[in-house]
Amino acid sequence: MSFRTIIKHLQCNRRSFIDSISLARFNSSAPAVHPSRRSSISLQFQNVPQLQDQDPYSYLKEDPIEICSSIWVKAFASLPNSSFSDLSGFLSKFDLWVLAYQRSCADVTGSFPPRNAIHSHVLQDLLSLRNAVISGKFSWNRKANPLIQSPNDKSRTHLISKRKLQAMLESDEPCFQDRIVQEVLLKVIEPIFEARFSSKSHAFRPGRNAHSFIRTIRSNFAGYLWFLKADLSEIFRHVDENVVMGSLEKAIKDKTILRLVKSALQSPRQKRPRVEDNDVKKKKRKGATKKKKILNENEPKPDPYWLRTFFNFAPEEAAKVPSYGHCGILSPLLANVCLNELDIVMEDKISEYFRPSKLDSIWRDSINDGCHNPAWPEFVPASGKEKTRKMDYIRYGGHFLVGIRGPREDAVRIRKEIIEFCESVFGIRLDNSKIEIEHISRGILFLDHVICRRIIHPTLRYTSSGGSIVSQKCVGTLLSVTASLEQCIRKFRRVELVKGDRDPEPLPCNPMLYSSQSHTNSQMNKFLETMADWYRYADNRKKIVGFCAYVIRSSLAKLYAARYRLKSRAKVYRIALRNLSRPLIESSNNSAPEYSDLLRMGLVDAIEGVQFSRMSMIPSCDYTPLPRNWVPHHENVLREYIKLQDQELYSELHKVVKRKGLSLPQDEISEIVWGYKTLGACHFKTNVGSEMEGG
């Protein structure tokens, strides 16, 4: 029976639909079997337990959070060069699959379903998916006959047309069951490589983000003259699967996980073939009304306007996300696994390049020596024979910075070595335009922040050899990290809130035309709060956030002037004040109740004033330096927990307590309990009563 005949004559039952397609595929693709072997094969299939006989609730035995925690503890407690070959045991834990299903449902529907609300037939399908992965029968992008359905998929009670089936097979939308498998693989693989990753990378990792990158720049990159700014984002679009598998096999020896990742890399996502516009697309009539979209029952609500606007402000370095075949959410982790090879090589180059000098003011003795305070004045000239030569490296995704304190010839040589390494290991051919050499005086743009130096003239007072106090005025430099106003204006033009780059005249906020004044102000306040937090570590935080507040406030004033027919922004400010907190309700008759009465009755919402209407309301820059050898909080907790699990630590503490003659709380409690048992409760009652009388 052909595939088309099955679809045409199939009944409405979904499970029979899946079973029939599987049977047709098995009959059409299976090779011819000798009659003598048919009996043995049928006997083997009889020995396999049926999925209907397996109770999924019997496999729910552990807490999935404890399983994930055990993986993290095991990864961080092992040696850096150790490998893991027994990870299939974690894949067989059904509780981990249920957690992956919950997270996948949250991504699709926008709500995290509780564990006790998952139906039994869903758990049965999830168990069949787990068994298929363990037995090696799972295949990616299986849209025609998936083992488990998405919660948004309606139960098929009608026939599927050929056009809908073809559209489903050729769509770019990832398969739901693939997302579940990716979640499980991510929970197993991520802890292993997080314990191995370099501290120089700050993207696609828990506890590290753009803020940690900027703070590291401010704390560790003072005193560098030359910077190498490189773009390796080409590895996000295409990477050789042998490079990824070679990096994975250094830490993972489990064949099941390696087979799953390799099959996901080898199967590219199918794209729809381009069809001529005359055949498919119909010309839209001018002035045609756009139908209002009605969300389905389980369809998640779209992101609010303020969040979509903020996402458009993403820097170039943070907007690029890798995507490899059917790896999905595994792709950023795999990209970091590959680029970790570059991090290790650059750490070796840092230690090789370090040449200390006794005449230097900082970095005098060791590679980590020197003042960690970003306000330390580094006296110019910052290079030469009498100065320490030092290098540092930091990476954010596919972009990285190399700071060099030395001559420009060293920067040219290091750039050449990086180009050769990337071509030999990653297969990426880079030119000088991808790795630029820039001087600190010109400023380096990274993550929409400009890294430059500021000249200062401090006065040094010290005691000379004769005992007299000498005051000497010197010239020094401070590292400055400022937000780029040009990039901010360009992003505002992208969201159509300003007119142009050179003429940043605010435009009306048209997407909020049909929203109330209270809702519009609250949306823009959330956007301004997020922008103020994004520019937290910029030196010109007040200036850049003040400019954002001016654009938003003027855009809303123009919007309100058009909505309420007030003709000008000045009239809007006159009625609603500078922060637009007073209502602009247009009453048609004099008998309309006042806004205060409507607010007291709960018929209208309180209008929240637009924030940062004054420069004094904007918070200042956060200059708190990162501690030396900073690691995220969760890694500190893991290290402390692993240290407490060590028996040698308790034995050493016990020896110290005995040596100093101290008593443990357990000893005091045992003495009290022993005395209570031997002397009795009456003895303690009389002692307590005498103490109370004496008091």
Side-chain angles (χ1 to χ4, degrees):
M1 185 180 292
S2 63
F3 187 71
R4 184 180 301 175
T5 309
I6 291 176
I7 295 177
K8 186 176 180 180
H9 299 285
L10 202 60
Q11 299 299 324
C12 60
N13 192 355
R14 180 179 67 87
R15 189 167 296 278
S16 64
F17 171 73
I18 296 175
D19 295 340
S20 302
I21 292 180
S22 303
L23 182 62
R25 287 193 170 184
F26 178 78
N27 293 334
S28 61
S29 60
V33 183
H34 195 270
S36 61
R37 297 186 58 190
R38 287 179 182 173
S39 59
S40 61
I41 292 178
S42 62
L43 184 61
Q44 290 177 5
F45 274 93
Q46 289 176 3
N47 294 332
V48 177
Q50 299 294 328
L51 293 179
Q52 288 77 8
D53 299 338
Q54 297 181 3
D55 183 15
Y57 293 100
S58 62
Y59 292 92
L60 298 175
K61 301 177 181 179
E62 302 180 51
D63 185 8
I65 305 300
E66 292 183 1
I67 299 174
C68 297
S69 302
S70 63
I71 302 175
W72 281 87
V73 172
K74 182 179 179 181
F76 276 80
S78 60
L79 297 176
N81 297 327
S82 59
S83 59
F84 295 83
S85 58
D86 54 347
L87 297 177
S88 298
F90 293 106
L91 287 181
S92 61
K93 293 183 180 296
F94 189 59
D95 303 87
L96 204 61
W97 288 85
V98 174
L99 178 61
Y101 174 79
Q102 291 174 297
R103 291 181 61 87
S104 302
C105 288
D107 179 71
V108 173
T109 63
S111 60
F112 192 86
R115 189 170 178 175
N116 54 4
I118 303 176
H119 296 286
S120 59
H121 68 87
V122 175
L123 293 177
Q124 193 76 38
D125 296 341
L126 192 61
L127 184 60
S128 63
L129 177 62
R130 188 207 69 165
N131 295 338
V133 170
I134 294 175
S135 61
K137 299 178 181 179
F138 171 79
S139 60
W140 299 93
N141 201 25
R142 203 176 182 179
K143 295 181 179 179
N145 53 345
L147 298 175
I148 187 171
Q149 295 288 337
S150 171
N152 286 344
D153 292 344
K154 297 180 179 179
S155 58
R156 293 180 179 140
T157 58
H158 56 277
L159 297 178
I160 301 176
S161 63
K162 179 182 176 182
R163 182 177 300 176
K164 287 186 177 181
L165 180 63
Q166 185 178 3
M168 180 183 68
L169 295 177
E170 295 178 353
S171 64
D172 293 337
E173 185 178 357
C175 190
F176 179 73
Q177 68 178 12
D178 291 359
R179 174 62 187 256
I180 299 176
V181 180
Q182 292 163 8
E183 284 280 358
V184 175
L185 289 176
L186 184 66
K187 295 182 184 306
V188 176
I189 296 177
E190 186 181 29
I192 297 173
F193 286 97
E194 275 295 322
R196 291 168 167 261
F197 282 159
S198 170
S199 60
K200 304 293 184 181
S201 62
H202 290 261
F204 312 126
R205 297 183 60 186
R208 291 178 170 87
N209 48 23
H211 277 170
S212 63
F213 182 94
I214 295 172
R215 296 182 71 187
T216 306
I217 288 288
R218 184 185 293 279
S219 297
N220 299 348
F221 277 72
Y224 293 109
L225 275 185
W226 300 99
F227 280 82
L228 292 178
K229 179 183 176 182
D231 181 9
L232 300 180
S233 57
E234 184 180 348
I235 200 174
F236 286 1
R237 297 187 295 269
H238 173 72
V239 65
D240 189 1
E241 63 179 82
N242 296 325
V243 176
V244 180
M245 297 308 298
S247 302
L248 281 176
E249 289 172 357
K250 292 181 179 179
I252 298 176
K253 303 298 182 181
D254 192 276
K255 295 182 179 180
T256 305
I257 292 180
L258 293 176
R259 184 179 63 249
L260 282 172
V261 177
K262 188 174 183 179
S263 60
L265 290 170
Q266 289 177 345
S267 54
R269 183 174 296 174
Q270 298 178 358
K271 294 185 178 180
R272 273 190 168 184
R274 291 187 177 180
V275 190
E276 295 295 332
D277 297 341
N278 298 331
D279 298 338
V280 178
K281 295 184 180 179
K282 296 181 180 180
K283 295 183 179 179
K284 294 183 179 180
R285 292 178 299 172
K286 292 185 178 180
T289 58
K290 198 173 183 180
K291 292 185 179 180
K292 191 174 182 181
K293 183 180 178 181
I294 300 177
L295 299 177
N296 297 328
E297 182 180 358
N298 293 328
E299 188 175 358
K301 295 182 180 179
D303 294 330
Y305 174 72
W306 70 270
L307 190 58
R308 298 196 305 269
T309 307
F310 177 72
F311 284 160
N312 287 324
F313 278 74
E316 179 186 1
E317 296 84 2
K320 298 178 181 179
V321 180
S323 179
Y324 303 142
H326 294 294
C327 292
I329 58 177
L330 276 175
S331 300
L333 176 63
L334 298 179
N336 271 336
V337 170
C338 296
L339 291 172
N340 189 52
E341 305 290 336
L342 177 63
D343 300 342
I344 297 173
V345 171
M346 293 305 299
E347 286 181 350
D348 296 337
K349 290 184 181 297
I350 289 173
S351 58
E352 292 174 2
Y353 187 78
F354 180 64
R355 302 174 189 174
S357 174
K358 294 295 183 181
L359 302 177
D360 204 347
S361 56
I362 60 176
W363 301 321
R364 187 173 297 171
D365 298 324
S366 66
I367 196 170
N368 293 323
D369 190 21
C371 183
H372 205 66
N373 189 356
W376 177 272
E378 172 57 22
F379 300 104
V380 292
S383 66
K385 296 181 180 179
E386 72 281 358
K387 291 294 180 180
T388 297
R389 294 193 180 185
K390 192 174 181 292
M391 182 176 69
D392 208 342
Y393 163 84
I394 189 171
R395 181 176 61 84
Y396 188 88
H399 298 73
F400 66 83
L401 280 178
V402 180
I404 299 173
R405 192 185 193 211
R408 192 179 186 276
E409 290 77 12
D410 294 347
V412 174
R413 177 178 56 82
I414 293 171
R415 177 174 65 179
K416 183 179 179 181
E417 294 175 357
I418 293 175
I419 291 175
E420 294 175 354
F421 175 81
C422 292
E423 185 174 0
S424 61
V425 177
F426 302 137
I428 301 176
R429 294 184 178 181
L430 303 174
D431 52 2
N432 293 340
S433 62
K434 292 291 184 179
I435 303 181
E436 302 175 355
I437 300 178
E438 299 181 0
H439 197 269
I440 186 64
S441 59
R442 297 183 57 184
I444 297 93
L445 180 64
F446 204 98
L447 289 176
D448 287 350
H449 286 69
V450 180
I451 305 166
C452 57
R453 67 179 181 182
R454 182 159 47 94
I455 305 297
I456 61 172
H457 301 275
T459 302
L460 297 182
R461 293 179 175 86
Y462 58 92
T463 304
S464 64
S465 58
S468 59
I469 299 177
V470 179
S471 298
Q472 183 179 2
K473 197 169 186 179
C474 302
V475 179
T477 59
L478 286 179
L479 184 70
S480 177
V481 181
T482 59
S484 175
L485 185 60
E486 297 179 358
Q487 294 292 326
C488 185
I489 295 174
R490 191 173 290 111
K491 301 299 174 55
F492 269 119
R493 185 172 64 87
R494 181 190 299 176
V495 297
E496 299 179 354
L497 289 180
V498 297
K499 192 174 183 180
D501 294 344
R502 297 187 177 181
D503 182 22
E505 177 66 23
L507 296 175
C509 186
N510 294 325
M512 304 295 293
L513 180 62
Y514 298 103
S515 300
S516 62
Q517 184 180 354
S518 60
H519 178 70
T520 304
N521 286 7
S522 63
Q523 287 282 309
M524 292 298 103
N525 277 335
K526 293 177 181 178
F527 171 74
L528 288 176
E529 290 175 1
T530 314
M531 293 297 293
D533 184 69
W534 164 240
Y535 294 118
R536 178 189 297 181
Y537 301 102
D539 290 345
N540 58 342
R541 185 186 186 185
K542 282 182 172 291
K543 179 181 178 181
I544 195 73
V545 176
F547 173 76
C548 295
Y550 159 74
V551 171
I552 295 299
R553 191 169 57 251
S554 302
S555 178
L556 292 184
K558 286 189 175 183
L559 173 68
Y560 295 153
R563 182 193 296 173
Y564 300 110
R565 301 176 183 177
L566 298 177
K567 297 183 180 180
S568 65
R569 282 185 288 174
K571 196 169 182 180
V572 173
Y573 289 138
R574 196 180 307 120
I575 298 175
L577 298 181
R578 183 180 177 88
N579 61 354
L580 305 175
S581 60
R582 289 190 177 180
L584 292 164
I585 301 176
E586 190 177 24
S587 59
S588 58
N589 51 3
N590 296 330
S591 61
E594 295 291 338
Y595 173 77
S596 57
D597 298 336
L598 295 176
L599 182 63
R600 186 171 59 254
M601 290 185 292
L603 299 178
V604 295
D605 296 330
I607 299 177
E608 185 181 357
V610 180
Q611 290 190 2
F612 309 134
S613 57
R614 304 287 180 185
M615 190 67 73
S616 59
M617 300 178 181
I618 303 174
S620 302
C621 174
D622 187 0
Y623 289 103
T624 306
L626 277 176
R628 188 166 300 179
N629 301 325
W630 172 85
V631 292
H633 179 67
H634 70 277
E635 291 189 12
N636 281 329
V637 172
L638 277 172
R639 303 291 184 188
E640 292 294 332
Y641 179 78
I642 293 170
K643 189 185 297 183
L644 292 176
Q645 297 298 316
D646 191 4
Q647 298 294 334
E648 296 181 358
L649 175 65
Y650 286 101
S651 62
E652 292 179 0
L653 290 176
H654 190 71
K655 291 179 181 178
V656 171
V657 168
K658 294 299 183 182
R659 190 184 309 120
K660 294 185 177 181
L662 303 176
S663 60
L664 295 174
Q666 292 86 348
D667 299 338
E668 296 181 358
I669 294 174
S670 61
E671 291 179 1
I672 294 174
V673 172
W674 179 252
Y676 187 85
K677 288 182 177 179
T678 54
L679 301 177
C682 298
H683 177 73
F684 284 93
K685 287 182 179 180
T686 54
N687 291 340
V688 171
S690 60
E691 290 179 359
M692 293 179 63
E693 291 177 359

